[in-house]
Amino acid sequence: MDEIQSFTEEDNAKDRQFVTALARGLEILRCFRPGEASLTNSEMAKRTGMPKPTISRLTYTLTRLGYLTYSPDQGRYQLGAPVLALGYTLLANIDVRKLARPAMQELAEYAQCSVAIGIRDRLDMVYVEACRGSAAVTLRRDAGSRIPLATTAMGKAYLCGLPQADRDFLMDHIRLHAETQWPKLKADLEQGFKDYQDRGFVLSSGLWDANISAVGVPLIDPENAKTMAFNCGGPAFLLPKEKLVEDLGPRLVQLVRNVGTSMGRHIA
């Protein structure tokens, strides 16, 4: 299981294989968020907790390598094209996207909602593929969008698809981040695990956004030790619980099962 929090030198000081400078550089690239065109050294120092002189050396190096571009007039950095190339390579190598997209688009049109595939990044899920119905009112999230792991149908479905040890590891980190919300979160997650056992899919509960309703199903790939998750959702006033439970949930389960069969994988 990979790390959840940003690396700390204390955690990794005894690991002789761990390259601190590389980890710090990657943390710089992680600072950038959708909708933010640029950041200053001071902003990156605040987000990472690293000293500003360290940030300055790292941004200089990343700029020389092309991973960042710098505007002297504004004193701000932007992500460079090589970062996009890395992301594109990742997406191009996720074969499930190509296999699943026709069925995803068909379901999105049928339900007039959104259907997406996500993978985990720390305590978030990141869309790697998304399809929308043609209705004017639907969710507008594309590949690269991030949603919480613990409070969304996609995130709960991902947790359902994990081996118990990996699930416990993430649950522990969710607890550490949740503070006073943990009792409510734990109860909701446990209800999700029960729903998955009983129905084969999980439901959104409104903890993240009460205006969005969705179902989620994991795609389990034991061959590559990977799990990802699908969701199908839209505005809550268009998707009552009855429709999710009796119609869209079973349809999404079948979609994921068909995708898994096409990949030659086992789907739980």
Side-chain angles (χ1 to χ4, degrees):
M1 176 63 65
D2 58 327
E3 293 295 328
I4 297 297
Q5 300 177 340
S6 300
F7 84 99
T8 62
E9 292 188 22
E10 292 80 7
D11 291 338
N12 299 292
K14 296 181 180 180
D15 188 348
R16 300 184 65 180
Q17 297 297 316
F18 189 85
V19 182
T20 300
L22 174 59
R24 287 174 166 175
L26 294 174
E27 287 300 308
I28 294 294
L29 298 179
R30 292 180 63 92
C31 284
F32 292 84
R33 300 168 183 168
E36 293 179 335
S38 61
L39 293 172
T40 65
N41 279 337
S42 295
E43 290 168 336
M44 287 183 271
K46 184 177 180 180
R47 289 187 180 179
T48 62
M50 298 181 212
K52 190 174 177 181
T54 300
I55 296 290
S56 297
R57 292 194 299 272
L58 291 169
T59 53
Y60 172 81
T61 302
L62 290 167
T63 300
R64 287 287 303 270
L65 294 172
Y67 290 99
L68 294 177
T69 60
Y70 180 65
S71 170
D73 294 337
Q74 298 180 339
R76 304 182 71 87
Y77 293 86
Q78 293 181 309
L79 293 176
V83 177
L84 177 62
L86 291 174
Y88 177 78
T89 301
L90 168 65
L91 292 178
N93 288 327
I94 300 177
D95 55 353
V96 66
R97 296 171 62 242
K98 186 180 297 184
L99 288 170
R101 185 170 179 82
M104 290 171 61
Q105 188 62 54
E106 182 179 349
L107 179 57
E109 289 292 350
Y110 167 81
Q112 287 301 297
C113 62
S114 298
V115 182
I117 312 171
I119 58 176
R120 185 181 66 82
D121 178 30
R122 298 187 177 177
L123 293 181
D124 287 333
M125 297 297 292
V126 180
Y127 283 15
V128 296
E129 186 65 274
C131 298
R132 290 193 292 266
S134 55
V137 181
T138 188
L139 300 181
R140 299 285 175 177
R141 291 189 177 89
D142 297 312
S145 296
R146 305 174 75 90
I147 60 175
L149 173 69
T151 55
T152 60
M154 176 181 279
K156 290 191 290 184
Y158 175 87
L159 289 169
C160 288
L162 293 177
Q164 189 63 51
D166 290 350
R167 184 191 299 175
D168 291 344
F169 175 86
L170 286 175
M171 290 283 282
D172 190 49
H173 280 277
I174 292 169
R175 177 183 60 81
L176 292 173
H177 282 73
E179 299 180 351
T180 58
Q181 292 182 313
W182 174 241
K184 183 184 292 187
L185 269 178
K186 181 182 179 184
D188 183 60
L189 288 167
E190 289 178 346
Q191 181 62 52
F193 301 150
K194 183 179 185 301
D195 287 343
Y196 178 64
Q197 288 187 342
D198 294 344
R199 299 170 173 156
F201 58 88
V202 301
L203 299 164
S204 59
S205 59
L207 288 182
W208 176 51
D209 189 331
N211 297 312
I212 296 175
S213 291
V215 290
V217 177
L219 173 64
I220 304 165
D221 185 357
E223 180 178 318
N224 294 319
K226 292 180 180 178
T227 299
M228 57 189 70
F230 287 66
N231 69 7
C232 176
F237 69 90
L238 293 177
L239 299 176
K241 183 176 180 180
E242 180 179 301
K243 183 173 180 62
L244 294 174
V245 171
E246 297 182 4
D247 187 13
L248 298 187
R251 286 178 183 271
L252 188 63
V253 169
Q254 189 60 52
L255 184 156
V256 174
R257 183 173 290 118
N258 291 343
V259 170
T261 299
S262 298
M263 296 172 64
R265 308 290 195 260
H266 165 70
I267 303 302

